[in-house]
Amino acid sequence: KQEVTQIPAALSVPEGENLVLNCSFTDSAIYNLQWFRQDPGKGLTSLLLIQSSQREQTSGRLNASLDKSSGRSTLYIAASQPGDSATYLCAVRSYSGAGSYQLTFGKGTKLSVIP
Amino acid sequence: NAGVTQTPKFRVLKTGQSMTLLCAQDMNHEYMYWYRQDPGMGLRLIHYSVGEGTTAKGEVPDGYNVSRLKKQNFLLGLESAAPSQTSVYFCASSLSVSNQPQHFGDGTRLSIL
């Protein structure tokens, strides 16, 4: 069974700092990996999707990398801002049988960017 | 630009009552999903649908039923609510099952007393 771990569970940084969030997964047979952002009381917003054949994806100040063989992904946030404060979730998509591809989520990293 | 809309946003039920959560998407997505999010557990898949008229069980389907009578709507039903079903429920949809991102609604906060 796929398991996804995110470390640390919480992170507090001063504004302007570059930071890295980590995600690891136990089964390397994945189709893709998706990073989400969740604001308090809100749903999930998709940030980046990396296919299993890709090494990284970039969107603005965000860069996500994928090392499928080692079961790891990182989300790099450059020049952090208070508006980046949220919980960041990592999810991997794996084949679960009968034509189904399911997402397995980590528990998230709660980021606080201090002005 | 609605995306995925969930109704209601909040609900309080008594044990044994029934209710239906509605999810609607306007992106013409084929695939739809229901998750629950509990503290310390992460999101877990309840049921999903790969197209109109089809549904399948996810990781935690017990106590829930679903229906997909129209492509744009995915309903989650609780026949006899239990306190263990107190959670935040999220609906999501995607264009394909394997290589497109899932888009989420804002959630329904359900409390069972």
Side-chain angles (χ1 to χ4, degrees):
Chain A
K1 178 183 176 183
Q2 180 74 268
E3 293 182 2
V4 179
T5 302
Q6 291 186 247
I7 296 174
L11 180 65
S12 183
V13 300
E15 181 178 2
E17 192 163 295
N18 302 325
L19 60 101
V20 174
L21 307 180
N22 297 294
C23 171
S24 62
F25 45 95
T26 55
D27 185 350
S28 62
I30 66 169
Y31 278 81
N32 54 52
L33 182 145
Q34 196 167 355
W35 281 95
F36 294 89
R37 168 186 174 138
Q38 186 175 27
D39 293 289
K42 295 292 186 180
L44 281 67
T45 300
S46 180
L47 298 173
L48 291 163
L49 174 71
I50 309 177
Q51 302 296 348
S52 61
S53 58
Q54 298 176 319
R55 296 287 291 181
E56 64 179 77
Q57 280 283 343
T58 298
S59 176
R61 294 182 294 109
L62 305 179
N63 176 277
S65 68
L66 174 64
D67 185 341
K68 184 179 161 183
S69 60
S70 68
R72 295 183 180 181
S73 176
T74 62
L75 179 66
Y76 174 83
I77 302 177
S80 59
Q81 303 172 357
D84 294 330
S85 298
T87 296
Y88 290 81
L89 297 167
C90 166
V92 298
R93 182 175 276 126
S94 310
Y95 184 66
S96 56
S100 171
Y101 299 79
Q102 294 189 8
L103 278 180
T104 303
F105 285 82
K107 296 178 181 179
T109 293
K110 186 176 182 180
L111 174 66
S112 298
V113 181
I114 311 301
Chain B
N1 196 17
V4 178
T5 303
Q6 293 183 232
T7 53
K9 296 187 183 304
F10 304 93
R11 186 72 184 269
V12 178
L13 291 178
K14 294 181 179 179
T15 298
Q17 288 185 318
S18 63
M19 79 161 295
T20 300
L21 281 64
L22 172 64
C23 176
Q25 53 94 5
D26 62 1
M27 297 173 283
N28 201 34
H29 285 173
E30 202 68 40
Y31 304 91
M32 297 187 74
Y33 315 84
W34 276 107
Y35 294 90
R36 60 179 289 173
Q37 185 177 37
D38 302 290
M41 297 291 293
L43 276 88
R44 293 178 292 170
L45 183 65
I46 304 172
H47 285 280
Y48 64 97
S49 169
V50 300
E52 183 178 323
T54 70
T55 63
K57 294 180 180 180
E59 181 184 357
V60 288
D62 294 342
Y64 305 95
N65 57 76
V66 287
S67 64
R68 183 98 181 267
L69 299 180
K70 294 182 179 180
K71 186 177 183 179
Q72 64 268 34
N73 295 336
F74 194 28
L75 278 62
L76 177 71
L78 285 73
E79 292 185 345
S80 180
S84 61
Q85 294 178 304
T86 293
S87 187
V88 182
Y89 292 86
F90 288 100
C91 176
S93 70
S94 64
L95 187 60
S96 81
V97 72
S98 61
N99 63 359
Q100 293 294 321
Q102 291 189 10
H103 299 268
F104 281 74
D106 283 343
T108 294
R109 283 148 187 79
L110 182 61
S111 294
I112 315 295
L113 304 179

